[in-house]
Amino acid sequence: MKLFGCTFASPGVLRLLAWAGPEKLRNWAGNIEYSTDHIETATSPQQVQDCVKAQAKLKALGTRHCFNNIADSKDGFLSLKPIDQVISLDPAKRTVTVGAGITYGKLCPYLDEKGFALHNLASLPHISVAGACSTATHGSGLKNGNLSTAVSGLEIVTADGKVVTLSRQQDAKTFNGLVVGLGALGIITKLTLDIEPSFTMSQYVYEGLPFSELKDHFEAIESSGYSVSLFTDWQNQRINEVWIKSRMDQGQAFHATPDFFGAKLATRNLHPIKELSAENCTEQMGIPGPWYERLPHFRMGFTPSAGKELQSEYFVPRQHAIEAILAVERLHDQVSPSLLITEIRTIAADHLWMSPCFGQDCVTIHFTWKPDWPAVRRLLPIIEKELAPFDARPHWGKLFTVSPAELRRIYKKMPDFVELASFYDPKGKFRNEYLDENIFAC
Ligand SMILES: Cc1cc2nc3c(=O)[nH]c(=O)nc-3n(C[C@H](O)[C@H](O)[C@H](O)COP(=O)(O)OP(=O)(O)OC[C@H]3O[C@@H](n4cnc5c(N)ncnc54)[C@H](O)[C@@H]3O)c2cc1C
């Protein structure tokens, strides 16, 4: 492996070499072999600045959990993995400031110990906060915005190597354009996140919810918990599993009865893919636990999801939820053979320019695919055609075939984003093929 221009303290580099292994550098799923294995690891913001100044082109790499080439580079990567400290916690302002390399898996137990929580989490805690927020990563909940809605401050090293500090309060005109930055604006070195008092949750799973019930009671089902996930293989006109995560505070606890809109209360912990062991999954059966051990589906220290898989996801305005779900259901004969599981979630609207929930409450239809790209590549345009009437927006970090022109049409703030990115990175130091094709070529 070659190292590029700026050389840093060797321990950081060696750590990453060990992590990458002798194989070519790949994303978590292994479906993307990155276009270079030139990689540096910064152990301080100063090293980030030195590296940015020394390089004509480079890309920040988080925990590599995206399924497409959004994080790819032909030139060189910069990992901030060792910059993973909690820098400060302000109980009065209810904020925490963290180094950009931190994962939710590290941050959340710290916050809980101090009596605080984040408003929501993705299905897994393994991902970096910077990478997750840069791609509008989300959990579920009618009233819960995606994870990047918690960002109230950013420190970014821009293309000229300067440190820029920005906040929701003081940079109101552009901040909403910066948060879901798709890695295009600079290297994030610090993030400040909104926090709230810690809370306890419980999780119940129901099996076999008929689509007819979902159709008639979608709002009631989705509002039965703080965060609700529906898993289906699109077979037999039913949702296989309903995961209801409820807060125990403020009288919000879910009172489990044996029957839930025709679905039956599970009698043991389940994996979203029923055939897989639930050992990887967070505790269910109504056992109370801390927020960070109930909001994700998968436990830190265990393989999340199936491991060998591909993923795609589409955000649909919530008023079209049922129509969109039924549109995909009509494709079940084509979809099911390539599918491991679908997850349906809800997310609240936000004001972040490049968030798929910009200006619209959403329902998301997610596909965990078998690792067969030719089959998935054939299916995606078929699904996207069915969802096009609803202006469905694809997840930035998952696989899609929506055209750049269509992306520009459905992301109304894209021209503003391009202008903002060009201001901070006029020569395209942080651009790659993904950004050139999907954002800047439009
Ligand atoms: C098993 C599994 C489950 C998942 N579950 C969910 C889910 O529940 N909800 C959901 O929405 N998504 C989910 N995802 C998708 C994924 O986690 C996110 O999209 C997220 O971006 C991954 O973060 P990362 O740190 O791995 O980012 P990477 O893939 O490493 O990078 C993503 C982007 O962020 C940029 N970036 C990273 N760090 C920085 C930085 N310091 N400064 C500037 N830019 C930076 C990169 O350049 C790149 O453009 C899942 C993925 C997997 C593999």
Side-chain angles (χ1 to χ4, degrees):
M1 178 186 290
K2 283 174 251 154
L3 298 174
F4 62 119
C6 48
T7 41
F8 296 149
S10 55
V13 173
L14 287 175
R15 250 198 314 276
L16 197 64
L17 282 170
W19 165 65
E23 301 286 309
K24 291 286 244 175
L25 191 59
R26 287 174 178 271
N27 64 339
W28 172 87
N31 65 308
I32 300 282
E33 182 181 295
Y34 294 127
S35 305
T36 178
D37 49 14
H38 294 197
I39 185 159
E40 279 287 355
T41 300
T43 56
S44 69
Q46 181 61 53
Q47 287 188 341
V48 174
Q49 280 185 273
D50 293 346
C51 200
V52 169
K53 279 182 194 159
Q55 299 306 316
K57 273 185 100 70
L58 81 166
K59 236 21 235 167
L61 199 56
T63 43
R64 303 174 296 124
H65 279 66
C66 286
F67 288 85
N68 57 30
N69 60 346
I70 187 170
D72 194 19
S73 172
K74 288 188 165 64
D75 305 279
F77 293 108
L78 181 59
S79 166
L80 282 70
K81 205 176 174 205
I83 308 179
D84 67 345
Q85 289 80 26
V86 175
I87 296 161
S88 61
L89 188 147
D90 188 332
K93 285 192 184 153
R94 292 201 175 165
T95 58
V96 65
T97 300
V98 296
I102 201 167
T103 61
Y104 287 98
K106 178 169 177 182
L107 171 60
C108 294
Y110 169 88
L111 281 179
D112 191 57
E113 198 191 303
K114 300 286 178 196
F116 289 98
L118 296 171
H119 78 289
N120 210 358
L121 290 169
S123 69
L124 75 176
H126 309 58
I127 50 178
S128 80
V129 175
C133 292
S134 296
T135 59
T137 295
H138 63 93
S140 189
L142 286 173
K143 294 183 185 153
N144 300 328
N146 67 42
L147 304 191
S148 39
T149 60
V151 179
S152 66
L154 288 171
E155 182 185 276
I156 303 180
V157 175
T158 52
D160 52 7
K162 291 208 178 98
V163 176
V164 183
T165 308
L166 301 137
S167 75
R168 190 195 282 148
Q169 256 188 346
Q170 299 193 341
D171 304 281
K173 255 181 113 176
T174 53
F175 194 72
N176 286 337
L178 292 155
V179 179
V180 180
L182 311 177
L185 300 150
I187 311 281
I188 301 166
T189 43
K190 281 184 201 166
L191 301 99
T192 300
L193 307 175
D194 296 334
I195 52 176
E196 59 185 90
S198 182
F199 51 91
T200 303
M201 297 189 79
S202 71
Q203 179 166 238
Y204 286 98
V205 175
Y206 283 85
E207 293 186 83
L209 180 99
F211 271 157
S212 54
E213 293 289 324
L214 183 69
K215 208 172 130 197
D216 294 344
H217 305 287
F218 183 76
E219 283 295 316
I221 290 166
E222 290 294 341
S223 57
S224 61
Y226 182 73
S227 163
V228 175
S229 284
L230 311 175
F231 293 96
T232 178
D233 56 10
W234 301 106
Q235 294 188 38
N236 306 319
Q237 295 268 330
R238 51 116 177 77
I239 297 291
N240 305 34
E241 296 176 17
V242 182
W243 288 39
I244 302 170
K245 299 164 191 274
S246 73
R247 291 175 64 141
M248 313 289 280
D249 55 333
Q250 301 160 10
Q252 298 177 59
F254 174 77
H255 297 289
T257 50
D259 182 276
F260 179 77
F261 296 101
K264 299 286 169 260
L265 188 60
T267 52
R268 60 181 172 92
N269 281 1
L270 292 176
H271 191 285
I273 304 166
K274 199 178 170 186
E275 299 71 35
L276 298 186
S277 161
E279 193 197 9
N280 305 13
C281 299
T282 47
E283 195 68 67
Q284 301 157 32
M285 307 284 291
I287 296 171
W291 56 279
Y292 69 93
E293 290 181 353
R294 295 296 178 276
L295 284 170
H297 308 324
F298 304 108
R299 292 160 67 192
M300 197 66 188
F302 290 80
T303 301
S305 195
K308 287 192 177 140
E309 65 194 64
L310 301 173
Q311 293 188 9
S312 308
E313 189 167 34
Y314 300 93
F315 296 66
V316 174
R318 201 176 301 152
Q319 72 265 28
H320 301 305
I322 290 301
E323 286 167 276
I325 292 166
L326 294 179
V328 177
E329 199 282 325
R330 284 193 292 274
L331 300 174
H332 69 269
D333 278 348
Q334 294 173 74
V335 167
S336 292
S338 296
L339 188 76
L340 289 169
I341 202 72
T342 274
E343 181 175 10
I344 297 168
R345 289 180 274 188
T346 57
I347 308 153
D350 61 49
H351 302 290
L352 305 174
W353 298 357
M354 297 305 280
S355 162
C357 298
F358 176 80
Q360 58 186 29
D361 289 329
C362 284
V363 62
T364 55
I365 307 179
H366 160 97
F367 303 84
T368 300
W369 301 109
K370 293 174 186 169
D372 178 356
W373 175 233
V376 174
R377 176 73 187 77
R378 272 195 307 277
L379 281 167
L380 293 184
I382 298 169
I383 295 169
E384 287 163 5
K385 191 170 165 220
E386 286 303 311
L387 296 179
F390 315 114
D391 288 348
R393 297 170 178 171
H395 191 302
W396 291 116
K398 301 184 183 181
L399 296 161
F400 62 86
T401 63
V402 176
S403 73
E406 178 66 359
L407 287 174
R408 192 180 177 89
R409 192 185 69 75
I410 54 187
Y411 279 90
K412 304 287 181 227
K413 296 292 276 185
M414 199 182 287
D416 299 308
F417 180 75
V418 167
E419 201 181 316
L420 190 64
S422 305
F423 173 76
Y424 285 110
D425 181 16
K427 292 188 182 147
K429 184 174 276 199
F430 304 113
R431 289 188 207 163
N432 59 6
E433 204 179 315
Y434 174 102
L435 290 173
D436 285 340
E437 204 176 298
N438 291 308
I439 309 291
F440 291 97
C442 298

